[in-house]
């Protein structure tokens, strides 16, 4: 039985990943503001829920120390926490840019930095980072988001080479457009329908399809430094 830490575990994809691993493993999800949703998942999935602001290194360090003290290890880290921003580049403020980077890219650094040393000491572990199809191809009016998710891919490929001698795999998932409250909040029904039509498989993805891909990468010890598109052929 593995100990699995999933950041941003209250969102659609994070909750699906937690549900997938909770079938067989000890799961810890983190949340920043959705305390009620975290409490619901803790009960329904029989998992642990820990408050963590991934953009705040001190918050991450304190939470990671508590997790390692209680569970003694983290076998699988899933860096899933993220926010989005749909705004023309010329309207994007420095504050918009910094806020998105602090969560989507700095957050991956902060959490990995806090957890990876314990993996290195045990010569074992798996890290799966959630990027995006837009980190691969870029998206109009999502320059900041695309840049952050592209950064996650670069981080993944470089860290995989560095940690491989310690028996740790590092991979990324690049989801396409997934059915989620975040997408339905920021995109109209017509826009979602258009994206589904652009996807060769002819529909949007499901959170559970991302979750199963995360498990596959986390459990295969001969796959590292890879970016797996779970996008219906979009990219």
């Amino acid at each position: 039985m593995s100990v699995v830490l999933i950041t941003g575990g209250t969102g659609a994809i994070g909750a699906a990943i937690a549900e997938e691993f909770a079938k067989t493993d000890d799961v810890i999800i983190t949340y920043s503001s959705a305390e009620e949703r975290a409490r619901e998942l803790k009960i329904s999935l029989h998992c642990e829920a820990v408050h963590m602001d991934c953009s705040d290194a001190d918050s991450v360090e304190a939470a990671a120390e508590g997790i390692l003290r209680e569970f003694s290890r983290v076998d699988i880290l899933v860096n899933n926490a993220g926010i989005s921003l749909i705004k023309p580049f010329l309207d994007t403020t420095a504050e918009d840019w910094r806020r998105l980077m602090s969560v989507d890219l700095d957050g991956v650094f902060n959490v990995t930095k806090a957890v990876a040393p314990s993996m290195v000491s045990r010569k074992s572990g798996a890290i799966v980072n959630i990027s995006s199809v837009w980190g691969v191809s870029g998206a109009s009016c999502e320059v900041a988001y695309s840049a952050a998710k592209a950064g996650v891919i670069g981080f993944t490929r470089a860290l995989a080479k560095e940690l491989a001698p310690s028996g740790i795999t590092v991979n990324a998932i690049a989801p396409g457009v997934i059915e989620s409250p975040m997408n339905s909040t920021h995109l109209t029904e017509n826009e979602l329908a258009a994206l589904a039509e652009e996807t060769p498989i002819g529909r949007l993805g499901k959170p559970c399809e991302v979750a199963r891909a995360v498990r596959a990468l986390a459990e295969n010890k001969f796959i590292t430094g890879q970016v797996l598109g779970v996008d219906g052929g979009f990219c």
Side-chain angles (χ1 to χ4, degrees):
M1 180 178 289
S2 297
V3 177
V4 184
L5 174 59
I6 303 159
T7 68
T10 58
I13 290 177
I17 296 169
E19 182 177 2
E20 173 64 32
F21 280 103
K23 299 171 185 175
T24 54
D25 302 295
D26 288 332
V27 170
I28 308 139
I29 61 171
T30 75
Y31 66 95
S32 178
S33 58
E35 184 174 0
E36 184 175 345
R37 176 59 174 155
R39 193 180 301 115
E40 292 172 355
L41 289 168
K42 179 177 180 178
I43 294 170
S44 64
L45 299 180
H46 304 288
C47 68
E48 292 298 319
V50 175
H51 180 266
M52 176 193 286
D53 179 354
C54 294
S55 69
D56 183 332
D58 291 336
S59 173
V60 170
E61 188 64 33
E65 285 179 3
I67 290 166
L68 291 171
R69 187 166 52 247
E70 180 175 353
F71 290 88
S72 78
R73 70 188 197 279
V74 171
D75 299 299
I76 298 169
L77 168 63
V78 183
N79 282 306
N80 168 72
I83 58 176
S84 66
L85 177 69
I86 299 179
K87 183 184 282 190
F89 175 71
L90 295 183
D91 294 335
T92 300
T93 66
E95 183 180 356
D96 290 333
W97 178 272
R98 187 63 259 152
R99 173 58 181 157
L100 191 137
M101 290 294 171
S102 73
V103 177
D104 290 20
L105 187 53
D106 295 354
V108 174
F109 169 83
N110 290 336
V111 180
T112 305
K113 189 73 159 50
V115 173
S118 67
M119 292 182 171
V120 171
S121 67
R122 291 182 296 104
K123 301 292 185 182
S124 177
I127 299 169
V128 181
N129 301 316
I130 305 301
S131 179
S132 168
V133 65
W134 305 133
V136 177
S137 67
S140 175
C141 295
E142 293 191 59
V143 172
Y145 182 77
S146 299
K149 292 302 188 179
V152 170
I153 290 173
F155 177 95
T156 298
R157 287 176 168 153
L159 190 62
K161 294 179 178 179
E162 190 167 329
L163 295 186
S166 296
I168 300 162
T169 62
V170 188
N171 292 289
I173 299 285
V177 185
I178 305 298
E179 294 175 0
S180 69
M182 185 173 76
N183 280 328
S184 61
T185 297
H186 293 288
L187 299 169
T188 67
E189 287 187 12
N190 287 339
E191 287 170 332
L192 288 170
L195 287 167
E197 189 173 338
E198 289 178 46
T199 301
I201 209 166
R203 63 171 175 84
L204 304 183
K206 301 180 185 301
C208 64
E209 292 170 321
V210 177
R212 289 194 290 268
V214 170
R215 179 188 281 277
L217 285 182
E219 294 183 345
N220 193 311
K221 298 304 180 183
F222 201 61
I223 298 177
T224 196
Q226 303 305 305
V227 180
L228 176 61
V230 183
D231 60 10
F234 191 95
C235 184

